[in-house]
Amino acid sequence: MANDAMTVRLYTNIRLEFDDGAGVALLTLNRPKALNALNGELLRELEEALDDVASRPGVRALILTGAGAKAFAAGADIAEMQGFTPAQAEAFAALGQRVFNRLEALPIAVIAAVNGFALGGGCELAMACDIILASASAVFGQPEVKLGVIPGFGGSQRLTRLVGRQRAREICFTGRSVKADEALRIGLVAEVVEGEVVEAAKKLAESIAKNGPRAVALCKRAINDGADLAMDPALSHERSLFGLCFATADQREGMSAFLERRKPDFTGR
Ligand code: CAA
């Protein structure tokens, strides 16, 4: 993303870059010495960074990745959790769940570029993104039971919704590793990328960023909200969101541009 329109914001454990020209933000978890393990400070910074992304005009897609060659994120920080009381553990899970829910609800496309280990909280973070791209060396898993605990940042629920109950049980009960090719086969990731996964994520983000931003946001709502509803209410929700599209300038511009045989100039209004 090296161009004139790039802005960088550094947190202690996160690096956030805005490529304003492309309308794409890149958020890098930046604790490589601890394989980007998610501690309380990092989670709070992630929440702040998401506010930054949401409030910056013109951002149409967000990519999440991990610094270093080894990990996206190797889970919640075990050293921090070790001495937790039950109440502290519940509060920590509530923090992680709140931040991941915020990520999932962001009204732009969010792509996880998984470049290595995505274990425990790291796998849960990837699953809160809209689309997961994995490098060939990516490794997923929910190994919490090996530590005597269970997933706490939404893994028992999001993994189940992605791969089905039986496969989720098998993965969570064994705590085993799931390599990239298997993750693709079971629907945990959208694509395994040969070569640089962040570059592939940028291409995908840029192609999404060309589309009507309001439409992408409403489509995300239709898919995410509908996944937890029965078919009839889900279809009802879809048609009301479809109706809402017709209150936007982007709908008028998109359809006019098609009929006038030109490229649309979407404004996100
Ligand atoms: N928390 C804290 N530190 C971690 C960490 C984690 N989850 N994962 C790795 N690290 C640290 C290691 O302690 C080590 O630090 P030092 O160099 O200071 O000793 C450093 O990162 C490098 O790790 P390793 O030496 O272990 O690297 P490796 O290549 O030998 O192994 C690994 C890599 C297989 C990913 C291994 O690090 C590992 O198994 N990590 C833990 C994975 C895990 O269990 N994650 C789930 C956590 S629980 C959770 O996430 C709960 C929840 O749902 C909310």
Side-chain angles (χ1 to χ4, degrees), residues 33-35 37 70 74-79 81 117 119-121 124 142-144 147 150-153:
K33 283 192 182 138
L35 303 187
K70 273 178 80 172
D77 192 309
I78 299 167
M81 290 184 294
F117 292 110
L119 299 176
E124 293 169 304
Q142 297 292 158
E144 286 87 348
L147 300 165
I150 69 167
F153 295 165

Side-chain angles (χ1 to χ4, degrees), residues 65 83 87 95 129 132 163 185 196 232-233:
T65 195
L95 170 65
C129 298
I132 305 177
V163 306
R185 188 162 48 77
E196 239 310 304
D232 275 350

Side-chain angles (χ1 to χ4, degrees), residues 28-39:
T28 305
L29 305 172
N30 195 16
R31 264 193 99 198
K33 283 192 182 138
L35 303 187
N36 304 318
L38 310 169
N39 60 16

Side-chain angles (χ1 to χ4, degrees), residues 170-249:
E170 184 266 322
I171 289 171
C172 291
F173 292 1
T174 60
R176 74 177 173 87
S177 293
V178 177
K179 291 187 178 156
D181 54 348
E182 183 188 356
L184 179 65
R185 188 162 48 77
I186 64 178
L188 177 53
V189 307
E191 201 180 322
V192 179
V193 172
E194 296 301 331
E196 239 310 304
V197 67
V198 174
E199 287 310 312
K202 284 181 189 169
K203 283 205 182 92
L204 176 61
E206 284 167 17
S207 76
I208 294 169
K210 290 195 179 97
N211 296 327
R214 295 291 302 280
V216 172
L218 291 171
C219 196
K220 174 166 173 168
R221 267 179 65 190
I223 292 172
N224 285 1
D225 297 349
D228 295 327
L229 296 173
M231 192 55 133
D232 275 350
L235 287 174
S236 161
H237 190 44
E238 183 193 64
R239 64 182 176 264
S240 70
L241 294 174
F242 181 73
L244 260 185
C245 295
F246 287 75
T248 68

Side-chain angles (χ1 to χ4, degrees), residues 116-141:
F117 292 110
L119 299 176
C123 187
E124 293 169 304
L125 175 59
M127 291 189 294
C129 298
D130 297 318
I131 300 170
I132 305 177
L133 301 188
S135 68
S137 62
V139 177
F140 298 83

